[in-house]
Structure formats: structure tokens, C-alpha cells
Amino acid sequence: MLNYIWISLIAIGILVAVGNDVRDEVQNSYRNGIPIEATVAIQKSPTSLRQTWEGDLIVNAEAFNSFYGIKTVKVEIHQPIVINMVTTGEPEASLPLGSASPDLWKEMAKAATSKEKLVGAVRSMTLAPDQRTARLQIVIEPIRFMKTKAVTQAALDYATTAVTIALGLIGIMALWLGVMKVAEEAGLLRIVTRMLTPVTKRLFPDVPTDHPAIGAMIMNIAANMLGLSNAATPLGLKAMEELNKLNPKVGTATNAMVTFLCINTGGLILIPATAIAVRASAGSANPGIIIGTSIFGAGCATVAGVVAARILQRLPRYKKDLEPEVGKEASHG
Amino acid sequence: MGDLFRALINAVSIVAIPLLLILFLGYGILKKVRVYEVFVEGAKEGFTTAIRIIPYLVAMLCAIGIFRASGALELLTTVLAPVTNLIGMPPETLPMALMRPLSGSGSLGIMTELMKVHGPDSFIGVLASTMYGSSETTFYVLAVYFGSVQIKNTRHAVPAGLIADLFGMLGAVFICRILFGV
């Protein structure tokens, strides 16, 4: 199943990206080659040393929306602009993007020559009599294959991110695996394990009740519930390693592993700290209001996951994966 | 009541790690375990475990990254909107529900955006944050946990994990509609 989901994510992603690009090209969504009209509030005029105009490009929201055929811009746009007078040809305009720039332009810049700015050619520039403003017609550089470029970038970025995440785990993994080893040698894990035997016996019938895997799983679930994600991952990986020692078939997930994974992906947590923090920073009158609802939601997820795991593991197609195969390479479904 | 519970859990989370460290190592000494040597012995595995998960994580995150960057999520949202309207789930929260199992940072971004647009105390804001708290990033957990023990055939883990996510999202919609519904 994972094979199909994995290839679907990639194939759908690439197809949709190409489809979006074709649509953009046909509709000319980014108005390649078409001049946009705007006013410039001039702050600096050219001098003998500097052949540039600097100021703010002002486009009112309606004009911008109707030019690009969108509805999202609500306020008048004030976008910094630098116009460079070149000796031959049309003057070059450069639009450095910042917080005041419209989202569409920021989006377009991702596929532009420079990520930080859009460049364009000034078709015409008419100065007002007081030399403080000018009417402009600018053609912004052509934007093409935006989604395909984004997909390429994402694939490369995420490969790096994966390594960063994994390397970031090393220290914290070492700390908790060290502590767990001490707890194991001292027999502490066995004490924790024995206390919860009535529960674990039912959840993980294939795992001996005093196996170190049980202790690690309990510790992992407890850490998750307290929101100690730094400690939870190493403990969870320790649990997986212990569960793998009971695995009759290397490279294939056991029933206990899947049940344990489902408890983890249910994400039962007593205080959803991240969500609360985001709510508080967004100015909520009662950020903690979602504690109860989250526990309910995560409870549903956990129970459904464990029940689903228990039912699915009985299906013949999943059952046969665990049977030892003789003289044949394991199939990876 | 709710505040007391929250304060209590917060206090426990803050002292939990120091307490665990002193408890575990202290108990070890008491049981005559050579704590330093055993700790180092266990910690050695940290490096290999972290390195082992790299290929799994690269495979998973790249696929998810491509999917996110392509704009496929917006397309899926349009397709699924009629279905979610039936159960009273605002279409704005659909990207949140779809993103949650795929990417932690992605769903965090969507939640933040929804709160900025609709307000944290609006129905959409409450529902989005409940959804965020109602599930974990299934595919990340899958890649890391199974990667660490080189599991390639995941058997029923993906369907079971996705069923868990589905029920988490449905549970979030259900409870929010009952408590904060309009």
C-alpha cells in the first residue's frame, strides 16, 4: 500500500504541476508581455552621478485585480520601484519584494530570475508637471513553468530537510537511549511494565508481558501525552527496536508494531501546546478552549486506529506477509 | 476546572524530564548499575539509529514536498468540498484535514493562516486548531519509526493510520459542532 501511496503523491504532484503550468500558459495568468499601468510617487530623481529613479509604484486594488483577473487584493498597492535609465532600449524597472508587495507578485518571484525581486521593462513614462509623480507602463518579466519549478525546488529542499531532521535527532536520541539503557539494567523498566500489564496484554498479545519493548512503549506513550516530543521519538524508536527483536521476518512490520504506530499517529496529547500557542499569538480570547475538543478528537483517532489495526491484521493479504517464505525474496507490498 | 487541569499538566510537563533523569539514574546507582558506562553504551546507538532513518525520511519527505508544491491540494479540496459540506465541515478547513497526515509544518502553516483570516475564536479557527491537536503527522511517524528498524513492507500500517486520521478529523468536526456549532 505504501508503494502505491508514495508513487501517487509523486505522480499526482508532477501531473498537477504540469497541468497548472499549461493552464497558466493558455490563460496567460501572469500577463506575460502585457503592460500594467501604474503611478509612481517619485522619491529620488536621476542626478549627474546616478541614472535611476526611485519611488513607490502605486496600483489601486481594483486595477490590479482586473489586470490579473483575481479578487484577492483589498488595499491599494505601494510597491518600491527602482527605474534604471539605460543608454539604449527601454529603461529597466526593478521591484524588490517585501512585506508591502502583493502576494501574487511574491508568488511570481519564486519562478523569476531573482527570488527577491521582479524585473520589468518600462514601456512609457510620463512625468507629471510637478515632477513628483509619473504615469508608467511596465511589462514584467515573463513568468513560466512556475509549478514545475516549485516541484523541482521542493524535491531538492525536502531531501536536505530530511537529512537535517535525522541529524538533529542524533543528540537527543543518544541522551534518551543512554538513560533507557540505565533504566533497563536497573530493572526499572520491568517495574513500569508490570504495572500496566492488564492493558498491554490486550493491546499487544504477541509481545511477552515483561519484554523491554512494553516498557519502552509505555514510556513513549506517556511522553507523547505530556507533549514531550523530544523524549517521545527516541523512546518510540527504542520500542520499535525491541519489537523488531521479536520479528520473525526481517523488513516486515509485525502486528504489534502497527498497533503501536497507530497509537502514536493518533497523537493523544493532554495539552496541544503548539495549537494553543498559535491561538494565543493570533489574539484568541481563550486559547485553551481546544484542550477538551482535541483530547476528544485524538481519542477518536487512537481508538479507531487501534481497532482498525486489529481488524486489518486478520485479513488474509496482510496475514500472509508475515508467514516465513522459503527460498523466495520477500515481496514488498 | 479546565484551567486547573491545564496548569497541572503544564507543571508536570516542565518537571517531567529533570525528574525522569534523576529518577532513572538515581535508581540505577541504587541498584549498583555502573551508570556512566551503561549510559554511554546505550547512547552509542543514537547515531546509527538517526542515520538509519535518513533514506526512509528522504523518500517520504520528497514525495510529500512534490505533492505540496504542485497545488494538488487545492485541486483535491475542490473535488472533495461537496462531500465535506454534507457533514457540516467548512470547506476552508479541508486543506487542514488533508495536510495533517502529510506534513506537520504544512498543517501548522494552514492553521495559522486560517486563524489570521477567520479569527482564532471563529468556528473555523476553533475547528482548525482542534484538528491540528487531534492527530499526528502519520507519514512522518511511519517513515521515522519503520525506518529505524528497516521495515520496508509496512503491511496494514498505512490503511490503519489513515483510518485513525479520518476518525480524528471526523471526531474534531463532531465535537466542535456540538460545542461551538452555529
Side-chain angles (χ1 to χ4, degrees):
Chain A
M1 176 118 180
L2 189 55
N3 280 329
Y4 297 118
I5 293 207
W6 190 68
I7 190 67
S8 305
L9 283 173
I10 297 175
I12 293 175
I14 291 175
L15 288 178
V16 171
V18 172
N20 274 336
D21 284 343
V22 169
R23 189 205 57 204
D24 285 343
E25 194 64 33
V26 171
Q27 295 179 347
N28 199 5
S29 307
Y30 306 114
R31 302 296 181 260
N32 295 337
I34 304 174
I36 183 169
E37 294 203 20
T39 310
V40 178
I42 297 167
Q43 281 149 6
K44 287 181 190 163
S45 301
T47 63
S48 52
L49 292 170
R50 186 164 48 81
Q51 286 299 301
T52 56
W53 301 85
E54 285 175 34
D56 269 348
L57 187 74
I58 299 169
V59 192
N60 78 43
E62 261 170 56
F64 191 87
N65 284 340
S66 76
F67 181 73
Y68 283 108
I70 54 172
K71 296 191 184 83
T72 45
V73 176
K74 302 276 187 320
V75 292
E76 194 174 60
I77 292 163
H78 287 254
Q79 159 70 44
I81 184 170
V82 179
I83 300 168
N84 198 358
M85 310 304 281
V86 287
T87 42
T88 53
E90 290 170 336
E92 293 163 359
S94 155
L95 308 165
L97 297 168
S99 54
S101 310
D103 291 338
L104 180 70
W105 279 358
K106 284 188 216 161
E107 198 63 30
M108 283 162 65
K110 289 182 188 160
T113 11
S114 157
K115 301 262 182 293
E116 289 86 35
K117 62 179 185 194
L118 284 171
V119 296
V122 179
R123 280 283 161 80
S124 73
M125 183 167 171
T126 323
L127 279 174
D130 63 357
Q131 306 268 314
R132 306 280 278 282
T133 61
R135 288 295 298 167
L136 269 192
Q137 280 195 321
I138 318 180
V139 178
I140 291 174
E141 60 180 312
I143 303 294
R144 293 211 160 84
F145 311 116
M146 187 151 97
K147 292 292 183 191
T148 314
K149 283 180 190 168
V151 159
T152 311
Q153 196 57 43
L156 302 175
D157 286 351
Y158 276 80
T160 316
T161 307
V163 177
T164 316
I165 292 176
L167 293 184
L169 274 175
I170 294 177
I172 202 90
M173 285 284 303
L175 172 67
W176 284 104
L177 291 179
V179 172
M180 285 295 286
K181 188 92 182 169
V182 174
E184 204 182 318
E185 295 256 318
L188 195 62
L189 273 190
R190 225 170 301 134
I191 298 176
V192 177
T193 308
R194 229 171 271 155
M195 286 194 306
L196 286 167
T197 299
V199 184
T200 54
K201 190 166 69 182
R202 287 194 178 81
L203 273 177
F204 307 104
D206 310 336
V207 183
T209 48
D210 57 346
H211 196 273
I214 299 280
M217 287 195 284
I218 292 170
M219 300 280 300
N220 161 269
I221 294 165
N224 263 329
M225 286 176 75
L226 289 174
L228 309 171
S229 50
N230 275 339
T233 307
L235 294 170
L237 297 189
K238 171 85 182 160
M240 289 303 279
E241 193 195 312
E242 293 293 341
L243 285 174
N244 205 35
K245 287 180 186 160
L246 299 167
N247 195 347
K249 198 168 166 189
V250 176
T252 301
T254 61
N255 292 341
M257 284 179 181
V258 176
T259 307
F260 176 57
L261 203 89
C262 281
I263 296 175
N264 257 281
T265 60
L268 193 53
I269 182 170
L270 296 176
I271 296 281
T274 315
I276 292 177
V278 172
R279 289 174 58 75
S281 74
S284 169
N286 191 352
I289 202 168
I290 56 146
I291 293 178
T293 55
S294 290
I295 292 179
F296 179 86
C300 287
T302 309
V303 171
V306 170
V307 171
R310 298 298 290 274
I311 293 174
L312 289 171
Q313 74 190 25
R314 287 183 201 163
L315 295 184
R317 58 173 296 198
Y318 293 125
K319 234 176 166 172
K320 83 168 195 287
D321 283 342
L322 260 191
E323 287 161 8
E325 283 171 75
V326 198
K328 211 167 77 178
E329 190 60 35
S331 70
H332 301 316
Chain B
M1 179 63 202
D3 280 346
L4 186 72
F5 172 74
R6 207 174 133 203
L8 189 73
I9 298 288
N10 270 337
V12 173
S13 323
I14 292 166
V15 296
I17 288 181
L19 209 67
L20 275 181
L21 286 179
I22 192 70
L23 193 80
F24 278 29
L25 300 179
Y27 189 79
I29 280 285
L30 214 70
K31 288 276 164 183
K32 307 253 184 324
V33 174
R34 307 212 294 206
V35 280
Y36 182 76
E37 288 163 42
V38 173
F39 179 94
V40 173
E41 196 55 43
K44 260 185 208 161
E45 290 170 33
F47 184 78
T48 45
T49 311
I51 298 302
R52 264 205 307 264
I53 61 177
I54 289 180
Y56 298 84
L57 214 49
V58 168
M60 193 60 84
L61 290 192
C62 280
I64 290 168
I66 288 173
F67 186 80
R68 272 181 64 181
S70 69
L73 201 65
E74 288 81 353
L75 201 72
L76 213 55
T77 307
T78 336
V79 175
L80 288 178
V83 183
T84 50
N85 283 339
L86 286 179
I87 57 163
M89 178 175 157
E92 291 87 343
T93 56
L94 190 53
M96 179 70 204
L98 294 172
M99 185 59 91
R100 192 67 193 99
L102 292 176
S103 162
S105 61
S107 48
L108 183 63
I110 294 177
M111 171 172 76
T112 314
E113 183 65 29
L114 283 176
M115 278 188 210
K116 221 189 302 170
V117 176
H118 300 278
D121 296 322
S122 65
F123 181 66
I124 290 177
V126 171
L127 179 57
S129 36
T130 300
M131 283 177 160
Y132 186 84
S134 292
S135 181
E136 252 300 326
T137 319
T138 302
F139 284 94
Y140 171 79
V141 174
L142 196 88
V144 170
Y145 278 34
F146 279 159
S148 72
V149 285
Q150 317 275 310
I151 297 285
K152 296 176 202 85
N153 184 351
T154 59
R155 289 176 69 225
H156 53 303
V158 175
L162 289 178
I163 289 172
D165 289 326
L166 177 68
F167 275 85
M169 293 304 133
L170 291 179
V173 174
F174 173 79
I175 194 78
C176 284
R177 272 184 67 86
I178 285 185
L179 294 181
F180 312 104
V182 274

